């Protein structure tokens, strides 16, 4: 598999505090990678390192197979666009003028592409309206447009939907999906809004106290968290035999409990079990959310 970003035992110390503690992660090319962690887990610190705003205390990372200690990293970093913490915009300028300023900073030869960028992020009709009069969602979209100046193919977004209203969240979600699917831009999203992240991510990295706890694909996570019916019975061997006969998928999770996937013919099953002296003690639906998966993974406590 080709990776846009890999980190190898990256550490970042601030005096006695370890913001990152031997963090190892892998962001595949073409992925929407959700970086999940509590506030203070090290998400923003990692992003600042990738953008070259800070240096790791120990360990290393590679962008497009170029190590952070090599001279070529400066050139490769131009393929990365980022919105760190809050969008870096000039509030007394229009959206177009903000983009022109970014083009100048990047040394781009002309302003070609600015109108296309404004249209892409849904700001083509803002005209002479100053950014200070934009909604929070509009400012976030302008920040993403600025990050896209120079045509990067790796976009890093730090809490892109924090504080947005429902409409703003939908707009940012649709924009990220469009960039990923239509422009093949790899996206790394740091977020603690897990329900929204689950609508976007193809891969996840769960970090806690500066360390990577688990990396998992969305498909693998769906298999772990998928909806099932949990049956508690007096004889799991009898239940397993009946489920095999019916053709239902299941997992035996203890001496008395079985998770069953799919629609259960309840009457047929309970009658068949009763004939074999197996009683159903309880039956309830079980559907682990991304939030509960994360909390179980890091050992309890809120992810806020």
């Amino acid at each position: 598999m080709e990776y846009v970003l890999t980190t190898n035992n990256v550490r970042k110390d601030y005096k006695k505090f370890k913001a990152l503690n031997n963090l190892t992660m892998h962001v595949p090319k073409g992925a929407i990678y959700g970086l999940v962690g509590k506030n203070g887990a090290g998400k923003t610190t990692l992003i600042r390192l990738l953008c070259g705003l800070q240096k790791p205390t120990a360990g290393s990372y590679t962008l497009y197979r170029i190590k952070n200690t090599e001279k070529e990293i400066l050139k490769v970093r131009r393929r990365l666009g980022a919105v760190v913490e809050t969008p870096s915009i000039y509030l007394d300028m229009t959206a177009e003028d903000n983009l022109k300023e970014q083009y100048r900073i990047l040394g781009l030869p002309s302003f070609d592409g600015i109108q296309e960028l404004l249209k892409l992020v849904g700001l083509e009709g803002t005209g002479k309206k100053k950014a200070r009069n934009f909604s929070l969602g509009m400012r976030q979209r302008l920040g993403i447009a600025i990050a896209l100046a120079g045509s990067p193919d790796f976009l890093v977004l730090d809490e892109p939907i924090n504080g947005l209203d429902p409409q703003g969240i939908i707009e940012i979600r649709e924009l990220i999906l469009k960039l990923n699917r239509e422009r093949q831009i790899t996206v790394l999203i740091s977020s603690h809004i897990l329900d929204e992240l689950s609508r976007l991510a193809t891969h996840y990295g769960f970090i806690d106290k500066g360390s990577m706890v688990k990396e998992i694909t969305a498909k693998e996570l769906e298999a772990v968290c998928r909806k099932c019916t949990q049956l508690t019975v007096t004889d799991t061997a009898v239940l397993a035999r009946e489920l095999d006969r019916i053709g239902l998928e299941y997992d035996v999770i203890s001496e008395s409990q079985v998770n069953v996937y799919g629609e259960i013919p309840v009457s047929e099953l309970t009658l068949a079990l009763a004939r074999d002296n197996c009683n159903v003690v309880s039956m309830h639906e079980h559907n682990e959310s991304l939030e509960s998966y994360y909390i179980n993974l890091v050992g309890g406590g809120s992810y806020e």
Side-chain angles (χ1 to χ4, degrees), residues 1 37 42 52-53 67 70 81 96 104 123 145 163 171 181 189 193 197 204 220 274 280 285:
M1 184 177 289
L53 300 173
K67 204 170 179 180
E70 296 177 37
E96 184 177 349
R104 291 188 189 100
L123 294 175
E171 289 168 355
R181 291 169 181 173
I189 306 174
I193 304 175
L197 196 58
Y204 296 91
E220 290 168 338
V280 177
E285 286 192 348

Side-chain angles (χ1 to χ4, degrees), residues 138-207:
M138 290 170 71
R139 290 184 191 182
Q140 193 65 264
R141 282 183 280 134
L142 177 55
I144 292 174
I146 291 169
L148 291 171
S151 303
D153 47 13
F154 183 27
L155 184 62
V156 178
L157 303 174
D158 188 14
E159 301 284 0
I161 59 171
N162 217 9
L164 299 187
D165 61 22
Q167 183 59 35
I169 290 171
I170 291 168
E171 289 168 355
I172 295 296
R173 181 204 312 157
E174 290 177 348
L175 175 58
I176 291 168
L177 289 171
K178 187 175 185 179
L179 293 171
N180 179 253
R181 291 169 181 173
E182 296 180 14
R183 299 204 170 199
Q184 284 74 55
I185 293 175
T186 303
V187 186
L188 170 64
I189 306 174
S190 145
S191 184
H192 67 277
I193 304 175
L194 303 188
D195 179 59
E196 183 57 32
L197 196 58
S198 68
R199 301 167 193 261
L200 288 167
T202 60
H203 296 72
Y204 296 91
F206 297 93
I207 69 170

Side-chain angles (χ1 to χ4, degrees), residues 229-247:
T229 304
Q230 194 170 91
L231 272 70
T232 303
V233 294
T234 55
D235 193 331
T236 54
V238 172
L239 175 59
R241 189 166 61 244
E242 286 301 322
L243 292 173
D244 286 334
R245 182 184 63 80
I246 294 169

Side-chain angles (χ1 to χ4, degrees), residues 17 24 48 72 88 104 139 194 223 229 235 243 250 273-274:
F17 174 67
T24 297
R48 292 177 71 83
E72 290 84 355
S88 299
R104 291 188 189 100
R139 290 184 191 182
L194 303 188
T229 304
D235 193 331
L243 292 173
Y250 62 90
L273 293 175

Side-chain angles (χ1 to χ4, degrees), residues 208-245:
D208 189 46
K209 297 174 185 174
S211 298
M212 182 62 68
V213 180
K214 178 90 171 174
E215 285 189 301
I216 190 170
T217 68
K219 272 189 176 179
E220 290 168 338
L221 186 63
E222 187 180 336
V224 173
C225 297
R226 68 177 170 161
K227 188 175 180 180
C228 67
T229 304
Q230 194 170 91
L231 272 70
T232 303
V233 294
T234 55
D235 193 331
T236 54
V238 172
L239 175 59
R241 189 166 61 244
E242 286 301 322
L243 292 173
D244 286 334
R245 182 184 63 80

Side-chain angles (χ1 to χ4, degrees), residues 23 30 44 162:
L23 180 79
T44 300
N162 217 9

